[in-house]
Amino acid sequence: MSIVTPPDRYLPFALPDIGEAEIAEVVDTLRSGWITTGPKARRFERDFGEFLASGDLHAIAVNSATAGLHLALEALQIGPGDEVIVPVHTFTATAEVVNYLGADPVFVDVDPVTLTIRPEAVEAAITPRTRAILPVHYAGLACAMDPLVRIAAKHGLQIVEDAAHALPATSCGGRLIGTLDTAATVFSFYATKTVATGEGGMIVTRSAKIAERARLMRIHGISRDVFDRYSGKADHGGWYYEVVAPGFKYNLPDLAAAIGLHQLARAHAMQQRRAAIAAAYHEAFSCLPVELPAPAPAGELHAWHLYVIRLGRGSRIQRDELILALREAGIGTSVHYVPLHFHPYWRERYGLRPGDFPASTDAYRCMISLPIYSKMADADVERVIGSMRALLG
Ligand SMILES: *Cc1c(COP(=O)(O)O)cnc(C)c1O
């Protein structure tokens, strides 16, 4: 589209915010001789607990949020015949971990405004087989946690929060996600997430039982981890270990934890930058024919992992055209998500139809995610705003 100034530089949809401290810590790790799970992963877990400022939390570092969700559900002994309620408007990882354990995800629609799981739909989906609810704090906006916690308590269900977008975000009167009254919360440090280590994740739980099981299963079901064995803390001079369960290989290497230490220290500063970008977008787009993302309730923190707008019915450009036009203008965008009921596997295995999930279906057809990350300069933000105005105004 010629109305948009040609780009002198491509603005990617997402970029990690890696500083000199992260680089120096990785180099230090490489020089240390200990590159897999060890002292830095331990420190990262300790720092993570302190970040959430809740003394009674266990933090268990893993190599992805997918691994963390799998371990959390495994620790809750979810298995064949069980059902776990998940929002249909999410990444496939949220649902696939339920299948890993031979259990079935039960998909429910999201709220048309917040695009987070609808508590009423959750309650309507409960059956005698339901064991857990797996809410997603979509885009960095916390779900309606008070009603979900109440529904779970009333029906004897567990909650495992998919907090892949929610570091840091708050709910229930300013409480950080990760400190609520749920069985476990799982964060992601995937390359595009708000705190990024390339690949990585963290399970947070108040339950010593869940923590112990997750620690065991993250490393082959070996009752004592390799760092303990080789750092001389164990008996037998370090060589002896026992396998007590068929575990997984889900440990976070120190090379990734080294990055995480410094990312975590800047998590609030990076959130503030994203919040400032969101505010600039809000102001600039409020006169365009678009639906803006729902803000966090007063007093709550939105992590602003994603900035998702929806084109109005009166828009003179369709979503797919807008994506191509922005790409021509040198601006990367994305769509979050192709809902699970549109993917062949989930659609066919569970007989899902678009009409079953009207809010997700409608939102998907007109949504676009714009760049929002702390590395964006003011000029980058202005460029996105200028292109959007030119294409939609
Ligand atoms: C990124 C993401 C995951 C998976 O995170 P990984 O660390 O890549 O395994 C899970 N759920 C949601 C909603 C995500 O966005």
Side-chain angles (χ1 to χ4, degrees), residues 256-328:
I259 303 169
L261 289 170
H262 298 280
Q263 289 274 290
L264 189 65
R266 289 194 291 125
H268 280 292
M270 293 192 291
Q271 185 277 339
Q272 280 163 18
R273 175 65 187 151
R274 291 191 305 276
I277 296 169
Y281 282 168
H282 262 67
E283 195 184 322
F285 302 154
S286 53
C287 52
L288 296 181
V290 298
E291 183 178 343
L292 300 177
E300 304 289 5
L301 200 64
H302 192 312
W304 289 114
H305 166 53
L306 301 174
Y307 190 89
V308 179
I309 60 158
R310 283 176 265 176
L311 297 182
R313 295 215 188 274
S315 174
R316 65 178 157 93
I317 187 169
Q318 295 307 301
R319 189 269 311 274
D320 294 9
E321 290 173 73
L322 178 62
I323 289 174
L324 294 177
L326 286 170
R327 196 173 64 188
E328 259 177 66

Side-chain angles (χ1 to χ4, degrees), residues 134-297:
L134 220 174
V136 177
H137 303 300
Y138 177 80
L141 176 66
C143 298
M145 288 306 293
D146 280 326
L148 288 178
V149 168
R150 239 179 320 190
I151 290 165
K154 181 172 150 198
H155 296 272
L157 308 177
Q158 304 283 355
I159 296 179
V160 173
E161 296 166 71
D162 179 339
H165 301 180
L167 183 61
T170 66
S171 181
C172 305
R175 293 167 67 187
L176 279 169
I177 294 300
T179 66
L180 305 184
D181 305 316
T182 59
T185 303
V186 180
F187 296 92
S188 172
F189 312 128
Y190 178 65
T192 60
K193 300 284 159 72
T194 59
V195 164
T197 66
E199 303 285 354
M202 190 74 74
I203 308 169
V204 171
T205 180
R206 282 213 177 76
S207 158
K209 213 171 136 216
I210 292 173
E212 191 187 345
R213 180 69 181 180
R215 283 212 171 90
L216 176 74
M217 296 306 278
R218 96 178 142 178
I219 185 76
H220 301 298
I222 290 173
S223 63
R224 183 175 278 147
D225 78 26
V226 85
F227 181 62
D228 277 347
R229 287 194 282 124
Y230 290 101
S231 63
K233 280 199 234 152
D235 307 325
H236 312 287
W239 61 270
Y240 186 75
Y241 63 92
E242 288 181 337
V243 172
V244 297
F248 308 99
K249 186 68 200 293
Y250 283 166
N251 54 304
L252 184 74
D254 269 18
L255 277 172
I259 303 169
L261 289 170
H262 298 280
Q263 289 274 290
L264 189 65
R266 289 194 291 125
H268 280 292
M270 293 192 291
Q271 185 277 339
Q272 280 163 18
R273 175 65 187 151
R274 291 191 305 276
I277 296 169
Y281 282 168
H282 262 67
E283 195 184 322
F285 302 154
S286 53
C287 52
L288 296 181
V290 298
E291 183 178 343
L292 300 177

